[in-house]
Amino acid sequence: MKGSIQRLSYVVAQTTDASRWKQFGEQVLGMAVTPTDDGGALIKMDRRDFRIAVEKADRDRYAVSGWEVADHAAFESMVAALRKAGVEVTEGTQVLRAARKVDRVVSFRDPAGNLHELSYGYTGGQANFVSPIGHTGFKTGIYGAGHTVLPALPFDETLAFYRDVLGFGLSDEFHFQPGPDAPVMRIYFLHAACGRHHSVALAEMPNPSGCVHVMVEVNSMTEVGRAHDRATQAGVKFMATLGEHENDRMTSFYILTPGGFALEYGYGGITVDPKTWTTTRTEKVSIWGHDFSVGFR
């Protein structure tokens, strides 16, 4: 699709106390965290100045998914597609462009009310990533920051928006029943042009934190294990035990962020060819592990 979204460029979280993100980001995730003058923080995981922006607010939550297109022409094409679909698109101010470190940015909401930013032209620094605790790095580059899983009610309308307007491809369908008497919830996984198995997933459920989880991927299973040890030693709440997903083959664990949403920390996720990939249907969450009941204890 002309003007298609390339990748998840960044996410934005809101916070009542950025110091909690600095401790969590550096000592658990192994990222580099720089406090900002306005009470927030920029969390760095590669050569870009940030992949997670934390902004001062009156509550802790997930706020924005930041999507990147290739260039000006792709940007104009996507903005035109949004407006043709009747979506209200707000041009980013100079202040927002400076904060996101991009040539241009617009904001809009999907049918479920999730807030998004679309941008192109990174204008920030290119300093090498140096972890304060010696972590070796993250899988980013053409694949972006990772993926995000968003609440999607109404589901069908929201799914159609992502496919028909934003141009995502459907990687996998999963019909999740958390208990024998519980209703079935759909979780659909969608890929952008970068080929990460999914850059976004839509979950047929509400979530007061604004996000079900975000995922960051590291470069070795050893780094997953080291982070698992750090999270355990720091007393961070686990939202799922270590396991391997059936659909994208990611081996990972889940922990609770200071933003009230979960973060998946993993390795080994597959990539897909957006031009040839045939949608799969997952029968279970994971091949092994991933006990999500720990999040309710």
Side-chain angles (χ1 to χ4, degrees):
M1 175 179 175
K2 183 180 179 182
S4 61
I5 288 173
Q6 297 294 303
R7 60 192 65 88
L8 180 68
S9 180
Y10 56 83
V11 300
V12 181
Q14 294 178 338
T15 187
T16 57
D17 182 2
S19 66
R20 293 190 297 133
W21 273 101
K22 181 171 177 60
Q23 174 72 17
F24 178 79
E26 291 185 345
Q27 302 305 314
V28 178
L29 304 183
M31 300 176 183
V33 182
T34 303
T36 57
D37 293 339
D38 56 3
L42 297 179
I43 304 181
K44 179 180 174 72
M45 51 191 287
D46 59 8
R47 292 178 66 90
R48 293 202 177 191
D49 288 344
F50 74 95
R51 291 293 188 174
I52 303 173
V54 180
E55 297 179 341
K56 182 72 173 177
D58 59 1
R59 60 176 295 194
D60 298 296
R61 71 185 307 273
Y62 181 97
V64 180
S65 305
W67 303 103
E68 185 174 25
V69 292
D71 52 29
H72 175 76
F75 182 86
E76 292 290 355
S77 177
M78 184 59 68
V79 170
L82 287 163
R83 288 180 169 146
K84 183 178 180 180
V87 177
E88 182 179 352
V89 179
T90 302
E91 185 75 33
T93 63
Q94 182 177 352
V95 171
L96 185 61
R97 293 196 302 271
R100 304 294 188 249
K101 301 176 186 288
V102 293
D103 281 330
R104 195 169 165 203
V105 58
V106 295
S107 62
F108 61 92
R109 292 188 183 273
D110 65 28
N114 301 301
L115 182 60
H116 303 269
E117 292 175 359
L118 179 77
S119 68
Y120 79 93
Y122 175 70
T123 60
Q126 292 284 351
N128 288 334
F129 168 71
V130 179
S131 169
I133 61 170
H135 173 70
T136 58
F138 297 86
K139 181 179 178 179
T140 56
I142 65 169
Y143 300 107
H147 73 234
T148 185
V149 181
L150 301 174
L153 295 171
F155 188 84
D156 292 322
E157 183 182 350
T158 304
L159 175 63
F161 174 76
Y162 278 77
R163 298 190 70 182
D164 301 338
V165 180
L166 298 182
F168 285 94
L170 185 58
S171 293
D172 183 75
E173 301 175 351
F174 178 49
H175 291 194
F176 177 54
Q177 188 173 20
D181 299 321
V184 173
M185 296 181 292
R186 291 172 288 179
I187 306 176
Y188 282 16
F189 303 82
L190 299 106
H191 55 261
C194 69
R196 193 185 282 278
H197 177 273
H198 56 282
S199 289
V200 65
L202 303 176
E204 193 176 20
M205 63 183 76
N207 195 295
S209 71
C211 173
V212 179
H213 74 259
V214 297
M215 184 281 300
V216 297
E217 188 172 2
V218 295
N219 296 322
S220 73
M221 193 60 218
T222 298
E223 291 293 6
V224 174
R226 287 173 172 164
H228 189 281
D229 283 353
R230 294 194 300 267
T232 301
Q233 292 161 7
V236 175
K237 181 175 177 59
F238 278 79
M239 303 301 287
T241 60
L242 190 67
E244 182 182 358
H245 283 303
E246 183 179 279
N247 60 3
D248 69 351
R249 305 306 296 266
M250 186 79 71
T251 300
S252 59
F253 62 90
Y254 292 69
I255 50 179
L256 186 65
T257 71
F261 55 91
L263 182 140
E264 180 185 7
Y265 201 98
Y267 167 72
I270 65 172
T271 57
V272 303
D273 182 346
K275 296 179 181 178
T276 61
W277 181 260
T278 300
T279 303
T280 57
R281 183 161 182 173
T282 294
E283 298 300 326
K284 55 184 178 180
V285 175
S286 305
I287 299 170
W288 59 271
H290 283 146
D291 177 5
F292 285 88
S293 71
V294 300
F296 298 96
R297 296 174 191 169

